[in-house]
Amino acid sequence: MMTVNEPILSAVFSVSQFNEYYLPSINRNTFEQCDSKTLFNNRYKAEFSHKDTLHIVIGLDSGLLANYVMELAIPDGSKFIFVDFNAVLNLLTIEVPDELSESIEICSPEMFDALLKETRNNIFIAKNQFKVHRSIAVSGNYIDEYAQLNYFVEKKIEHEHFESNIGFSQKIFIKKQLINLSETLQPASILKQKFMGKTCIVLGGGPSLDEHIDWIKSHREQLVIFAVSRVAHKLTIAGIPVDIIVSVDPQDHALTVNKEMMALYENSLFICSYHVSPLLLGQWAGSVLYTGPRIPWDSRDSDNILPKGPTVTNAAVQIAEEMGFEQILLCGSDFCHSQSGATHAKNTFGADIGPNLGVMFEWVETYSGEMAETPIQLLQAMQSLQEEVTFYHAKCINLSANAARIEGIQQLSPEQLVLATITPEDRAILQPSKHKLSIEQRRKLLANTLTDLSLTSNTFNALIKLLKKALHYSNTMLKIEGTTHTVVELHRKIDKIEKTLNRKYHHFGSLIKFYGYYEFSHFLSTKQSEHWSQLDLSTNNNIYYKAYLNIATELSVLINDAASRVEIRLAELTVPTDIPAIARQWRQDNQLGRALIWKQNYMPDHQKLNDADIALLDEIEQEYLQYLSQNNHSTSVKEATVNNVEDAFKKLAILMQNQHLLGISKMIQYISPFIKNTPELTRLYYLASSYQFLLLHEESAALESILNISEEYRTETELKQIILLSLKLKDITLAENTYSKIIVFSDDYLPHYAQILKLQGKYQQALDYYLNYLEKYPTDIPVLLKFGLFWKDIGQPEQAVSVLTEILTLDPNNFAAQTHLQQLYRDLELKSN
């Protein structure tokens, strides 16, 4: 369970020259040079202006940041949640006006998790309409515990977002499923049990793919090659023809990530999930088989291969199992980062991005016994695959010792494998030409689909009429008080409609509620139903039928859109073809690649096109080819790692606070190749190295490492580490020199500096720094106590008595002051005698 440690803070406030109260122990000297409003305007005003957004702010900046937001005009539909430690909240008095109580909430870490799960906040998370902001204190890494708070909050959000997406994703899947109806014409079930006794290999995009690519190439004739879509092009370039390309990604970015595979349609069979991105499927020029249910309300293809697990690798392994393979080899299916922090095989999309230094990942064990980082998505994919392989007839084997260990999947080196030959007859089963539909077959399947969609559309129209009546009766009930005859009659009418919905439209009602799962899951009041008033009942009825109608209407629009798309596909097969009409649909769907498909497959030799049609087709084709030729690969390693450095320092602080030696060692390993790129990366490397040596109890090496950072780049964090190590090694001179630099960051260091100066015998300088501090913070009792003892130690008992007496004026029950004062009186009495 994630927790955070409360920081030990000084309760002393300071007043800036701009008459603003702040806690120096939190914000250092941030508000001395510039007033908070100017500072916050420059940093947050644009970010805080986003509408319909949940703004989660980590840290209050001594309360000034919350006050700043309260003075802003809260954007429409937005709200703010501030999270800070109890230790901070207990020192501040922040009152949120009643009129802003729905828009601004302030909470402790313990309250944050529950607050995030509340429907009114969670819907922002589920819809990805949220932003995380860090206060100046959190961004500045002044306090180690703030790094831990930042980690705590971001992890809570990450897990909540992931869980919300699971409950929210069916809406995306059904949308894509309906769009894809014009393309998902052949089920993958036609390949079931066709490869009994054979071996296949599933090639993912992980770093280990590069380890075995030569072996794969030399044993290609004994393997059926499955490739996740993003590595298919890499394999082709390496001289490894891909038999089956697999994709399950419903997101529109799938084409950007996988566009290089689009040229492989002649030699590779494409097997995709029913919900794969239409931008990918609708522009694939070759043969395609789909997995899962084709139509959301139809069970006729229930025998089809079902896609299981959250990733494309899970899906590919499931397909291979259903095809009857005796051995399923995995390579590049690592489910974790490499030992150098790499996430992708070379020359694949994402391979140029350096280690993601600033993200706190999960940890998993590899087959080699090493620990490796992995994102939450891959952790869930591992767990899903582990559950599935228990029921497989095939033996699953991972070739990489650096892959995450999954129970039920053995790790073997290629030399240990026994492979059966893949015959030409076997290979022929997978030839794209074998699965290419004739124009007549395609026309028949599309016509049947259109009939099905038309009947369903009519059913939805009738269902929507009923829901409109129910909502009308429900609205009327809300306007009527009491239990009049009219209310009873309205109840009777609504009950009758509900019975019709359940009897006649049960199948579609289930689909509507499945599609609108998130909306339907938040209707019921927390109040027990037996305590509902008539108003409660009417209100809930109203919410229920309003959502029912809205979701049914949304699905009806999708069904009609799918029918229009199927009509256009039929128009593509009609001679003469209405080119402007089909081109309009292509542009509307952003499927310009269909111009190539149409010209290659559906333009009969005898069909004569006019000049305008030819020009339109050529224009669309060129736009598509130009898009495919663009290099959309991500930024270089240097840019990527530099962009993550700020977060990397927070991650390092968390690892150090938890004494996570392995995590720190991995960071050093990841950074090592890039330390000459920027001073910030150099600084990060030597700070991490110093932490590593300190945890290994090698204090001298830790100090030597931190001193490798140039003085001009040393921040408060590095200076604190130098002081810690110099004191451990009893190098008081270095400690004194470092304290002289760190005091510019915070007045908190002044008393410590004075103490070091006293140890060096520099009493006048020590006195000056004590006085400087106490002039600003005259009621800081712990420092006053040290100051009193300072006078005592340097032989000035009268001054010590004066200071200790002052403490008792502020705190009459201060035991330490009483004890020292009594001792001083005894010493003075003895001296006088």
Side-chain angles (χ1 to χ4, degrees), residues 49-90:
S49 65
H50 291 277
K51 297 179 180 179
D52 301 312
T53 302
L54 175 64
H55 297 275
I56 299 167
V57 188
I58 308 170
L60 287 161
D61 275 336
S62 302
L64 293 174
L65 188 52
N67 291 334
Y68 169 76
V69 170
M70 282 188 268
E71 292 174 5
L72 293 175
I74 304 295
D76 291 343
S78 288
K79 71 173 299 182
F80 288 79
I81 295 178
F82 288 88
V83 191
D84 214 326
F85 293 107
N86 283 306
V88 176
L89 298 178
N90 292 337

mmCIF file of all heavy atoms in Angstrom, residues 49-90:
data_model
loop_
_atom_site.group_PDB
_atom_site.id
_atom_site.type_symbol
_atom_site.label_atom_id
_atom_site.label_comp_id
_atom_site.label_asym_id
_atom_site.label_seq_id
_atom_site.Cartn_x
_atom_site.Cartn_y
_atom_site.Cartn_z
ATOM 1 N N SER A 49 -6.379 27.673 -16.838
ATOM 2 C CA SER A 49 -7.528 28.237 -17.562
ATOM 3 C C SER A 49 -8.302 27.194 -18.374
ATOM 4 O O SER A 49 -9.309 27.519 -18.992
ATOM 5 C CB SER A 49 -7.045 29.348 -18.509
ATOM 6 O OG SER A 49 -6.217 28.808 -19.524
ATOM 7 N N HIS A 50 -7.849 25.942 -18.376
ATOM 8 C CA HIS A 50 -8.513 24.906 -19.176
ATOM 9 C C HIS A 50 -9.900 24.590 -18.613
ATOM 10 O O HIS A 50 -10.058 24.361 -17.410
ATOM 11 C CB HIS A 50 -7.671 23.629 -19.211
ATOM 12 C CG HIS A 50 -6.408 23.773 -19.999
ATOM 13 N ND1 HIS A 50 -6.356 23.636 -21.359
ATOM 14 C CD2 HIS A 50 -5.144 24.076 -19.608
ATOM 15 C CE1 HIS A 50 -5.117 23.825 -21.786
ATOM 16 N NE2 HIS A 50 -4.357 24.099 -20.733
ATOM 17 N N LYS A 51 -10.886 24.541 -19.502
ATOM 18 C CA LYS A 51 -12.268 24.242 -19.104
ATOM 19 C C LYS A 51 -12.467 22.732 -18.986
ATOM 20 O O LYS A 51 -11.710 21.939 -19.520
ATOM 21 C CB LYS A 51 -13.248 24.808 -20.135
ATOM 22 C CG LYS A 51 -13.210 26.325 -20.260
ATOM 23 C CD LYS A 51 -14.208 26.797 -21.322
ATOM 24 C CE LYS A 51 -14.192 28.316 -21.453
ATOM 25 N NZ LYS A 51 -15.138 28.786 -22.487
ATOM 26 N N ASP A 52 -13.547 22.351 -18.295
ATOM 27 C CA ASP A 52 -13.950 20.947 -18.175
ATOM 28 C C ASP A 52 -12.773 20.053 -17.792
ATOM 29 O O ASP A 52 -12.565 18.982 -18.369
ATOM 30 C CB ASP A 52 -14.582 20.455 -19.483
ATOM 31 C CG ASP A 52 -15.807 21.263 -19.866
ATOM 32 O OD1 ASP A 52 -16.661 21.462 -18.985
ATOM 33 O OD2 ASP A 52 -15.905 21.703 -21.021
ATOM 34 N N THR A 53 -12.002 20.492 -16.819
ATOM 35 C CA THR A 53 -10.779 19.786 -16.427
ATOM 36 C C THR A 53 -10.695 19.679 -14.907
ATOM 37 O O THR A 53 -11.026 20.624 -14.192
ATOM 38 C CB THR A 53 -9.533 20.541 -16.953
ATOM 39 O OG1 THR A 53 -9.618 20.652 -18.375
ATOM 40 C CG2 THR A 53 -8.243 19.828 -16.569
ATOM 41 N N LEU A 54 -10.259 18.518 -14.453
ATOM 42 C CA LEU A 54 -9.940 18.366 -13.037
ATOM 43 C C LEU A 54 -8.462 18.703 -12.859
ATOM 44 O O LEU A 54 -7.596 18.010 -13.382
ATOM 45 C CB LEU A 54 -10.209 16.933 -12.572
ATOM 46 C CG LEU A 54 -9.805 16.608 -11.128
ATOM 47 C CD1 LEU A 54 -10.617 17.439 -10.140
ATOM 48 C CD2 LEU A 54 -9.955 15.117 -10.836
ATOM 49 N N HIS A 55 -8.204 19.791 -12.140
ATOM 50 C CA HIS A 55 -6.829 20.221 -11.889
ATOM 51 C C HIS A 55 -6.398 19.678 -10.531
ATOM 52 O O HIS A 55 -6.960 20.065 -9.490
ATOM 53 C CB HIS A 55 -6.723 21.740 -11.892
ATOM 54 C CG HIS A 55 -7.065 22.372 -13.212
ATOM 55 N ND1 HIS A 55 -6.150 22.511 -14.226
ATOM 56 C CD2 HIS A 55 -8.240 22.874 -13.686
ATOM 57 C CE1 HIS A 55 -6.727 23.091 -15.263
ATOM 58 N NE2 HIS A 55 -8.002 23.313 -14.962
ATOM 59 N N ILE A 56 -5.435 18.778 -10.532
ATOM 60 C CA ILE A 56 -4.921 18.206 -9.285
ATOM 61 C C ILE A 56 -3.582 18.880 -8.996
ATOM 62 O O ILE A 56 -2.640 18.774 -9.782
ATOM 63 C CB ILE A 56 -4.765 16.684 -9.397
ATOM 64 C CG1 ILE A 56 -6.130 16.050 -9.678
ATOM 65 C CG2 ILE A 56 -4.150 16.104 -8.121
ATOM 66 C CD1 ILE A 56 -6.073 14.612 -10.106
ATOM 67 N N VAL A 57 -3.532 19.614 -7.885
ATOM 68 C CA VAL A 57 -2.354 20.424 -7.562
ATOM 69 C C VAL A 57 -1.659 19.811 -6.350
ATOM 70 O O VAL A 57 -2.267 19.672 -5.280
ATOM 71 C CB VAL A 57 -2.740 21.890 -7.264
ATOM 72 C CG1 VAL A 57 -1.484 22.741 -7.117
ATOM 73 C CG2 VAL A 57 -3.637 22.444 -8.370
ATOM 74 N N ILE A 58 -0.405 19.444 -6.515
ATOM 75 C CA ILE A 58 0.366 18.844 -5.425
ATOM 76 C C ILE A 58 1.112 19.954 -4.702
ATOM 77 O O ILE A 58 2.017 20.571 -5.270
ATOM 78 C CB ILE A 58 1.353 17.788 -5.960
ATOM 79 C CG1 ILE A 58 0.625 16.778 -6.853
ATOM 80 C CG2 ILE A 58 2.057 17.076 -4.813
ATOM 81 C CD1 ILE A 58 1.542 15.844 -7.613
ATOM 82 N N GLY A 59 0.718 20.222 -3.476
ATOM 83 C CA GLY A 59 1.349 21.276 -2.685
ATOM 84 C C GLY A 59 0.566 22.567 -2.721
ATOM 85 O O GLY A 59 -0.067 22.910 -3.723
ATOM 86 N N LEU A 60 0.612 23.300 -1.610
ATOM 87 C CA LEU A 60 -0.153 24.547 -1.469
ATOM 88 C C LEU A 60 0.720 25.799 -1.522
ATOM 89 O O LEU A 60 0.195 26.910 -1.524
ATOM 90 C CB LEU A 60 -0.902 24.535 -0.128
ATOM 91 C CG LEU A 60 -2.108 23.592 -0.037
ATOM 92 C CD1 LEU A 60 -2.449 23.321 1.417
ATOM 93 C CD2 LEU A 60 -3.301 24.187 -0.756
ATOM 94 N N ASP A 61 2.052 25.607 -1.548
ATOM 95 C CA ASP A 61 2.967 26.764 -1.485
ATOM 96 C C ASP A 61 2.589 27.699 -0.332
ATOM 97 O O ASP A 61 2.259 28.878 -0.524
ATOM 98 C CB ASP A 61 2.989 27.523 -2.819
ATOM 99 C CG ASP A 61 3.961 26.911 -3.810
ATOM 100 O OD1 ASP A 61 4.916 26.233 -3.366
ATOM 101 O OD2 ASP A 61 3.774 27.097 -5.023
ATOM 102 N N SER A 62 2.599 27.131 0.877
ATOM 103 C CA SER A 62 2.285 27.879 2.109
ATOM 104 C C SER A 62 0.871 28.468 2.102
ATOM 105 O O SER A 62 0.586 29.428 2.811
ATOM 106 C CB SER A 62 3.310 29.009 2.316
ATOM 107 O OG SER A 62 4.617 28.510 2.393
ATOM 108 N N GLY A 63 -0.004 27.894 1.290
ATOM 109 C CA GLY A 63 -1.383 28.368 1.196
ATOM 110 C C GLY A 63 -1.587 29.441 0.139
ATOM 111 O O GLY A 63 -2.721 29.710 -0.274
ATOM 112 N N LEU A 64 -0.495 30.030 -0.342
ATOM 113 C CA LEU A 64 -0.608 31.138 -1.302
ATOM 114 C C LEU A 64 -1.165 30.670 -2.650
ATOM 115 O O LEU A 64 -1.888 31.414 -3.323
ATOM 116 C CB LEU A 64 0.755 31.798 -1.498
ATOM 117 C CG LEU A 64 1.320 32.530 -0.273
ATOM 118 C CD1 LEU A 64 2.748 33.010 -0.540
ATOM 119 C CD2 LEU A 64 0.423 33.714 0.104
ATOM 120 N N LEU A 65 -0.840 29.420 -3.040
ATOM 121 C CA LEU A 65 -1.314 28.925 -4.331
ATOM 122 C C LEU A 65 -2.827 28.678 -4.298
ATOM 123 O O LEU A 65 -3.536 28.971 -5.263
ATOM 124 C CB LEU A 65 -0.568 27.644 -4.710
ATOM 125 C CG LEU A 65 -0.805 27.088 -6.119
ATOM 126 C CD1 LEU A 65 -0.589 28.157 -7.185
ATOM 127 C CD2 LEU A 65 0.112 25.891 -6.385
ATOM 128 N N ALA A 66 -3.332 28.179 -3.186
ATOM 129 C CA ALA A 66 -4.786 27.984 -3.054
ATOM 130 C C ALA A 66 -5.509 29.329 -3.050
ATOM 131 O O ALA A 66 -6.557 29.487 -3.694
ATOM 132 C CB ALA A 66 -5.095 27.218 -1.773
ATOM 133 N N ASN A 67 -4.937 30.307 -2.363
ATOM 134 C CA ASN A 67 -5.537 31.649 -2.348
ATOM 135 C C ASN A 67 -5.550 32.257 -3.744
ATOM 136 O O ASN A 67 -6.513 32.932 -4.136
ATOM 137 C CB ASN A 67 -4.763 32.563 -1.390
ATOM 138 C CG ASN A 67 -4.956 32.160 0.062
ATOM 139 O OD1 ASN A 67 -5.958 31.560 0.413
ATOM 140 N ND2 ASN A 67 -3.979 32.484 0.902
ATOM 141 N N TYR A 68 -4.495 32.015 -4.495
ATOM 142 C CA TYR A 68 -4.399 32.517 -5.874
ATOM 143 C C TYR A 68 -5.539 31.951 -6.721
ATOM 144 O O TYR A 68 -6.203 32.681 -7.462
ATOM 145 C CB TYR A 68 -3.043 32.132 -6.454
ATOM 146 C CG TYR A 68 -2.895 32.358 -7.935
ATOM 147 C CD1 TYR A 68 -2.695 33.634 -8.462
ATOM 148 C CD2 TYR A 68 -2.937 31.280 -8.822
ATOM 149 C CE1 TYR A 68 -2.558 33.845 -9.829
ATOM 150 C CE2 TYR A 68 -2.795 31.470 -10.188
ATOM 151 C CZ TYR A 68 -2.608 32.761 -10.687
ATOM 152 O OH TYR A 68 -2.470 32.957 -12.049
ATOM 153 N N VAL A 69 -5.769 30.625 -6.606
ATOM 154 C CA VAL A 69 -6.826 29.983 -7.397
ATOM 155 C C VAL A 69 -8.197 30.509 -6.989
ATOM 156 O O VAL A 69 -9.077 30.727 -7.829
ATOM 157 C CB VAL A 69 -6.758 28.450 -7.246
ATOM 158 C CG1 VAL A 69 -7.992 27.780 -7.856
ATOM 159 C CG2 VAL A 69 -5.496 27.919 -7.916
ATOM 160 N N MET A 70 -8.388 30.763 -5.681
ATOM 161 C CA MET A 70 -9.687 31.273 -5.220
ATOM 162 C C MET A 70 -9.989 32.666 -5.759
ATOM 163 O O MET A 70 -11.148 33.056 -5.872
ATOM 164 C CB MET A 70 -9.732 31.273 -3.693
ATOM 165 C CG MET A 70 -9.980 29.883 -3.115
ATOM 166 S SD MET A 70 -10.274 29.894 -1.336
ATOM 167 C CE MET A 70 -8.623 29.635 -0.708
ATOM 168 N N GLU A 71 -8.934 33.380 -6.111
ATOM 169 C CA GLU A 71 -9.137 34.723 -6.673
ATOM 170 C C GLU A 71 -9.345 34.694 -8.178
ATOM 171 O O GLU A 71 -9.743 35.690 -8.786
ATOM 172 C CB GLU A 71 -7.928 35.603 -6.341
ATOM 173 C CG GLU A 71 -7.807 35.929 -4.848
ATOM 174 C CD GLU A 71 -6.529 36.681 -4.515
ATOM 175 O OE1 GLU A 71 -5.789 37.030 -5.472
ATOM 176 O OE2 GLU A 71 -6.256 36.903 -3.329
ATOM 177 N N LEU A 72 -9.065 33.527 -8.802
ATOM 178 C CA LEU A 72 -9.274 33.400 -10.247
ATOM 179 C C LEU A 72 -10.749 33.164 -10.555
ATOM 180 O O LEU A 72 -11.520 32.778 -9.682
ATOM 181 C CB LEU A 72 -8.483 32.203 -10.801
ATOM 182 C CG LEU A 72 -6.959 32.258 -10.804
ATOM 183 C CD1 LEU A 72 -6.404 30.909 -11.278
ATOM 184 C CD2 LEU A 72 -6.461 33.368 -11.729
ATOM 185 N N ALA A 73 -11.105 33.361 -11.807
ATOM 186 C CA ALA A 73 -12.427 32.923 -12.273
ATOM 187 C C ALA A 73 -12.275 31.453 -12.645
ATOM 188 O O ALA A 73 -11.544 31.118 -13.580
ATOM 189 C CB ALA A 73 -12.865 33.748 -13.478
ATOM 190 N N ILE A 74 -12.925 30.556 -11.892
ATOM 191 C CA ILE A 74 -12.786 29.124 -12.167
ATOM 192 C C ILE A 74 -13.367 28.826 -13.548
ATOM 193 O O ILE A 74 -14.512 29.181 -13.836
ATOM 194 C CB ILE A 74 -13.529 28.275 -11.101
ATOM 195 C CG1 ILE A 74 -13.021 28.617 -9.698
ATOM 196 C CG2 ILE A 74 -13.364 26.788 -11.391
ATOM 197 C CD1 ILE A 74 -11.601 28.282 -9.424
ATOM 198 N N PRO A 75 -12.606 28.189 -14.446
ATOM 199 C CA PRO A 75 -13.109 27.902 -15.799
ATOM 200 C C PRO A 75 -14.357 27.018 -15.751
ATOM 201 O O PRO A 75 -14.515 26.200 -14.836
ATOM 202 C CB PRO A 75 -11.933 27.154 -16.461
ATOM 203 C CG PRO A 75 -10.734 27.504 -15.645
ATOM 204 C CD PRO A 75 -11.221 27.710 -14.251
ATOM 205 N N ASP A 76 -15.220 27.175 -16.738
ATOM 206 C CA ASP A 76 -16.469 26.414 -16.791
ATOM 207 C C ASP A 76 -16.188 24.908 -16.742
ATOM 208 O O ASP A 76 -15.343 24.403 -17.492
ATOM 209 C CB ASP A 76 -17.232 26.730 -18.084
ATOM 210 C CG ASP A 76 -17.777 28.150 -18.090
ATOM 211 O OD1 ASP A 76 -17.839 28.758 -16.998
ATOM 212 O OD2 ASP A 76 -18.097 28.661 -19.177
ATOM 213 N N GLY A 77 -16.917 24.229 -15.867
ATOM 214 C CA GLY A 77 -16.813 22.778 -15.808
ATOM 215 C C GLY A 77 -15.561 22.247 -15.155
ATOM 216 O O GLY A 77 -15.337 21.032 -15.157
ATOM 217 N N SER A 78 -14.729 23.116 -14.600
ATOM 218 C CA SER A 78 -13.461 22.671 -14.015
ATOM 219 C C SER A 78 -13.532 22.699 -12.496
ATOM 220 O O SER A 78 -14.363 23.377 -11.903
ATOM 221 C CB SER A 78 -12.303 23.549 -14.482
ATOM 222 O OG SER A 78 -12.002 23.289 -15.830
ATOM 223 N N LYS A 79 -12.633 21.945 -11.892
ATOM 224 C CA LYS A 79 -12.495 22.000 -10.442
ATOM 225 C C LYS A 79 -11.040 21.740 -10.059
ATOM 226 O O LYS A 79 -10.259 21.224 -10.865
ATOM 227 C CB LYS A 79 -13.440 21.032 -9.751
ATOM 228 C CG LYS A 79 -13.121 19.575 -9.881
ATOM 229 C CD LYS A 79 -14.073 18.757 -8.989
ATOM 230 C CE LYS A 79 -13.924 19.133 -7.534
ATOM 231 N NZ LYS A 79 -14.791 18.345 -6.640
ATOM 232 N N PHE A 80 -10.689 22.111 -8.824
ATOM 233 C CA PHE A 80 -9.318 21.994 -8.333
ATOM 234 C C PHE A 80 -9.296 21.150 -7.068
ATOM 235 O O PHE A 80 -10.121 21.332 -6.166
ATOM 236 C CB PHE A 80 -8.740 23.376 -8.020
ATOM 237 C CG PHE A 80 -8.433 24.210 -9.232
ATOM 238 C CD1 PHE A 80 -9.446 24.879 -9.906
ATOM 239 C CD2 PHE A 80 -7.136 24.326 -9.712
ATOM 240 C CE1 PHE A 80 -9.182 25.653 -11.027
ATOM 241 C CE2 PHE A 80 -6.851 25.096 -10.831
ATOM 242 C CZ PHE A 80 -7.873 25.754 -11.495
ATOM 243 N N ILE A 81 -8.349 20.222 -7.007
ATOM 244 C CA ILE A 81 -8.071 19.480 -5.777
ATOM 245 C C ILE A 81 -6.620 19.745 -5.392
ATOM 246 O O ILE A 81 -5.707 19.472 -6.173
ATOM 247 C CB ILE A 81 -8.300 17.967 -5.949
ATOM 248 C CG1 ILE A 81 -9.777 17.658 -6.214
ATOM 249 C CG2 ILE A 81 -7.828 17.210 -4.706
ATOM 250 C CD1 ILE A 81 -10.061 16.182 -6.450
ATOM 251 N N PHE A 82 -6.419 20.292 -4.203
ATOM 252 C CA PHE A 82 -5.070 20.517 -3.676
ATOM 253 C C PHE A 82 -4.749 19.404 -2.682
ATOM 254 O O PHE A 82 -5.572 19.072 -1.828
ATOM 255 C CB PHE A 82 -4.989 21.871 -2.956
ATOM 256 C CG PHE A 82 -5.033 23.059 -3.869
ATOM 257 C CD1 PHE A 82 -6.241 23.627 -4.237
ATOM 258 C CD2 PHE A 82 -3.858 23.617 -4.363
ATOM 259 C CE1 PHE A 82 -6.295 24.727 -5.076
ATOM 260 C CE2 PHE A 82 -3.892 24.712 -5.204
ATOM 261 C CZ PHE A 82 -5.106 25.276 -5.569
ATOM 262 N N VAL A 83 -3.554 18.849 -2.793
ATOM 263 C CA VAL A 83 -3.111 17.798 -1.880
ATOM 264 C C VAL A 83 -1.845 18.263 -1.174
ATOM 265 O O VAL A 83 -0.881 18.672 -1.830
ATOM 266 C CB VAL A 83 -2.802 16.484 -2.624
ATOM 267 C CG1 VAL A 83 -2.619 15.336 -1.624
ATOM 268 C CG2 VAL A 83 -3.884 16.149 -3.628
ATOM 269 N N ASP A 84 -1.861 18.200 0.158
ATOM 270 C CA ASP A 84 -0.656 18.547 0.902
ATOM 271 C C ASP A 84 -0.637 17.755 2.205
ATOM 272 O O ASP A 84 -1.629 17.127 2.586
ATOM 273 C CB ASP A 84 -0.590 20.048 1.186
ATOM 274 C CG ASP A 84 0.844 20.572 1.173
ATOM 275 O OD1 ASP A 84 1.753 19.815 1.592
ATOM 276 O OD2 ASP A 84 1.061 21.726 0.745
ATOM 277 N N PHE A 85 0.504 17.786 2.859
ATOM 278 C CA PHE A 85 0.674 17.016 4.093
ATOM 279 C C PHE A 85 -0.194 17.557 5.227
ATOM 280 O O PHE A 85 -0.476 18.758 5.290
ATOM 281 C CB PHE A 85 2.136 17.066 4.534
ATOM 282 C CG PHE A 85 3.077 16.353 3.609
ATOM 283 C CD1 PHE A 85 3.943 17.066 2.785
ATOM 284 C CD2 PHE A 85 3.114 14.968 3.558
ATOM 285 C CE1 PHE A 85 4.819 16.411 1.945
ATOM 286 C CE2 PHE A 85 3.989 14.302 2.709
ATOM 287 C CZ PHE A 85 4.840 15.024 1.899
ATOM 288 N N ASN A 86 -0.550 16.678 6.155
ATOM 289 C CA ASN A 86 -1.240 17.123 7.373
ATOM 290 C C ASN A 86 -0.388 18.126 8.136
ATOM 291 O O ASN A 86 -0.903 19.081 8.717
ATOM 292 C CB ASN A 86 -1.550 15.912 8.269
ATOM 293 C CG ASN A 86 -2.739 15.117 7.772
ATOM 294 O OD1 ASN A 86 -3.813 15.671 7.558
ATOM 295 N ND2 ASN A 86 -2.551 13.827 7.566
ATOM 296 N N ALA A 87 0.931 17.885 8.114
ATOM 297 C CA ALA A 87 1.842 18.786 8.821
ATOM 298 C C ALA A 87 1.741 20.205 8.287
ATOM 299 O O ALA A 87 1.907 21.183 9.032
ATOM 300 C CB ALA A 87 3.280 18.280 8.694
ATOM 301 N N VAL A 88 1.460 20.335 6.987
ATOM 302 C CA VAL A 88 1.293 21.657 6.376
ATOM 303 C C VAL A 88 -0.114 22.188 6.636
ATOM 304 O O VAL A 88 -0.295 23.345 7.033
ATOM 305 C CB VAL A 88 1.565 21.592 4.856
ATOM 306 C CG1 VAL A 88 1.299 22.941 4.202
ATOM 307 C CG2 VAL A 88 2.984 21.135 4.583
ATOM 308 N N LEU A 89 -1.106 21.327 6.418
ATOM 309 C CA LEU A 89 -2.502 21.757 6.588
ATOM 310 C C LEU A 89 -2.763 22.242 8.011
ATOM 311 O O LEU A 89 -3.541 23.180 8.219
ATOM 312 C CB LEU A 89 -3.449 20.606 6.246
ATOM 313 C CG LEU A 89 -3.397 20.085 4.805
ATOM 314 C CD1 LEU A 89 -4.349 18.900 4.627
ATOM 315 C CD2 LEU A 89 -3.735 21.179 3.812
ATOM 316 N N ASN A 90 -2.110 21.606 8.977
ATOM 317 C CA ASN A 90 -2.315 21.993 10.375
ATOM 318 C C ASN A 90 -1.728 23.362 10.695
ATOM 319 O O ASN A 90 -2.123 23.997 11.678
ATOM 320 C CB ASN A 90 -1.697 20.942 11.301
ATOM 321 C CG ASN A 90 -2.438 19.617 11.230
ATOM 322 O OD1 ASN A 90 -3.602 19.576 10.845
ATOM 323 N ND2 ASN A 90 -1.765 18.540 11.585
#
